[in-house]
Amino acid sequence: MKEKLKRYLGFMLMACGGFLLLTMGLGCNSASRQHSFALGDSAFLLDGKPFQIISGEIHYPRVPREAWRARLKMAKAMGLNTISTYVFWNLHEPEKGVFDFTGNNDIAEFVKEAKEEGLWVILRPSPYVCAEWEFGGYPYWLQNEKGLVVRSTETQYLNEYKKYIDAVGKQLAPLQVNHGGNILMIQIENEYGSYGKDKDYLALNEKMFRGAGFDGLLYTCDPPGDLPNGYLPGLLPAVNGLVKPEAVKSLVRKYHNGKGPFLIAEWYPAWFDWWGTKHHRVAPESYATELDSVLGSGLSINMYMFHGGTTRGFMNGANYKDSTPYEPQISSYDYDAPLDEAGNPTEKFKIFRSVIAKHLPAGETLPPIPASKPTMAINDIQLTKHTYLLDALPAPIIADTPVTFENLHQAYGYLLYRTIVDGDKSSTLKIDELRDYAVVMVNGQPQGTVDRRLGQNSLNIHLPAGRDTLDIFVENLGRINFGPNLLKNNKGITHKVLLGGRELKGWSMYGFPFKTLDNFKWQTATTNNKGPVLLQGNFKLENVADTYFDMTSWGKGVLWVNGHNLGRYWRVGPQQTVYVPKEWLKKGDNEVTVLEELNDDKRVINAINHPILDSLQK
């Protein structure tokens, strides 16, 4: 009988994964067990007992769904007990009234997988997220609602906001910890104190979250100097960017009735990149000392980012203030994070893991670190199909003056603007308020580019004798995601075009949103047109592994593999490779498609076994 009992107990321990203490209550009965999560005077209380949040940020759309679980296992191996993620309005309601929580947008599945891996979740669905993400997470179509003002009490905004948060609540409110799930807390708004100070607006946020079913613990987060504007009395004020324990405690107590608990909602042991600037690297040693100090003081912490991944599908944002240039972010969101872009542990990962291990309760150990994934090179992929975009024009929209992306109900991608002009001269073309990058062509031949990053708005062009076709191929490089210019985010040619000082009229607009590649037909005959071109080729694989397309000798554009948008590339750097996750490759036939804007003579592409993220070129 004793032997049977031993075997039964041993089986139960294995079924729970052997990590009952480590998962802090997410053990065997977590599928149905409800927990309590509350604020103590100095610590969070999980089921009435002190609980220290050790969290890392991962954004589900920046990781292929097929790889979510692998990233979560890595989080567990570094010693994290919690995962934090934003929820992205523009993914879940890409067009007004059209909601999508499927595939890589299935945030509920991401939360459930975190639970299965023994991880709690901090949810950040506030409609504005920043996150180096297109329009800070807002859907582009909000700009078509006349008079709508984001982050305000304006009626139209609140109506659309409510529809969004209600839809999110249906997906995620049942997964809160007090309903048997693993969502510990939910953030309202996002660093609002950096933008405004309207407490009535913040109170409406809380009311809408409650109405959407989020009846658990709500909190706000702000940098120290903005916290007085951004906190809401009655909710826990979390702090971003401050890591001195006593300073954090003092600040939170000041705005929270003299009490804690204390959460550093965003700790930055790394940073992001934008086109044309050096890749950011942050030495881990000094940040390990900060982490050690915070954990030793009993504070809770969320590192931004633990794993960045990749910003694909035209979803990168941009920084811009009136005193600084427009700065669109790169597709790689490697972030110099503990887990690199491909999900492999870095030296920073190992150093932080050692720090966290020091602060585990007696007798607890961390699971082994999963092995890094293999990589491969693929040489000489022949791009045998091509089509110049000037030979693949869709039906045009006709207008007297240029029309923006928004007015054409096109969210992302490219617009071609065409008009007819009288030639036999050289003249200055001026594009008033270009957003954001243009390839200019005359009679199908490239003349040059205009780049908003560099403050450019003019180009000298030559017009042959006769009636000439002027084409301006405009790219949306990403809407502003932070600061006072959120409502100045229309894309395309947003004002007028002048040639030799005279305004040009009579425009045809051709949309290239690149939601799919299915509508393009490949050319067999040679044409006189040049400029932006789509290229496609096939390659066979006997086995799959991660790889990186090497775009060092290319110009500027976008890559797809097997129909998956991999992101942008641009010779200016610092990113020169485009990451290809093994989950999107297959044994046998594979297909790569390239949109090249500048070097239309390229016909071979190579992939290498490592990233190049810090190489600037002219």
Side-chain angles (χ1 to χ4, degrees), residues 380-448:
D380 298 329
I381 301 172
Q382 302 296 315
L383 303 174
T384 57
K385 302 176 183 177
H386 77 276
T387 185
Y388 285 93
L389 296 191
L390 293 185
D391 295 322
L393 298 179
I397 301 295
I398 309 297
D400 197 39
T401 57
V403 179
T404 65
F405 277 61
E406 290 73 19
N407 286 338
L408 294 176
H409 300 281
Q410 180 176 321
Y412 315 112
Y414 303 78
L415 269 177
L416 181 81
Y417 294 81
R418 169 172 286 183
T419 191
I420 305 298
V421 296
D422 291 322
D424 199 17
K425 59 185 175 182
S426 293
S427 192
T428 298
L429 180 75
K430 182 177 180 181
I431 308 172
D432 191 12
E433 289 292 335
L434 169 70
R435 297 179 184 169
D436 301 299
Y437 185 88
V439 178
V440 179
M441 294 165 281
V442 173
N443 299 330
Q445 303 302 305
Q447 299 281 304

Side-chain angles (χ1 to χ4, degrees), residues 126-127 158 161 165-166 186-189 198-220 231-236:
S126 150
L158 294 179
Y161 179 176
I165 203 64
D166 284 350
I186 302 99
Q187 177 186 297
I188 69 165
E189 248 293 344
D198 186 344
K199 301 297 182 183
D200 290 338
Y201 166 64
L202 287 173
L204 285 170
N205 278 258
E206 180 186 12
K207 182 179 179 181
M208 283 196 283
F209 271 59
R210 297 299 187 199
F214 291 113
D215 55 359
L217 199 158
L218 304 182
Y219 75 101
T220 61
Y231 88 102
L232 181 64
L235 300 188
L236 176 70

Side-chain angles (χ1 to χ4, degrees), residues 445-499:
Q445 303 302 305
Q447 299 281 304
T449 62
V450 182
D451 187 345
R452 181 186 181 190
R453 292 179 314 124
L454 305 178
Q456 297 172 348
N457 65 3
S458 300
L459 179 71
N460 290 324
I461 62 174
H462 176 69
L463 300 165
R467 299 283 283 168
D468 296 313
T469 300
L470 173 66
D471 289 317
I472 306 175
F473 184 67
V474 177
E475 178 180 5
N476 167 5
L477 274 175
R479 291 182 179 86
I480 298 162
N481 59 259
F482 179 79
N485 292 301
L486 283 175
L487 293 175
K488 300 176 182 177
N489 254 331
N490 287 332
K491 290 298 180 179
I493 298 176
T494 60
H495 285 74
K496 55 188 176 183
V497 179
L498 304 174
L499 183 63

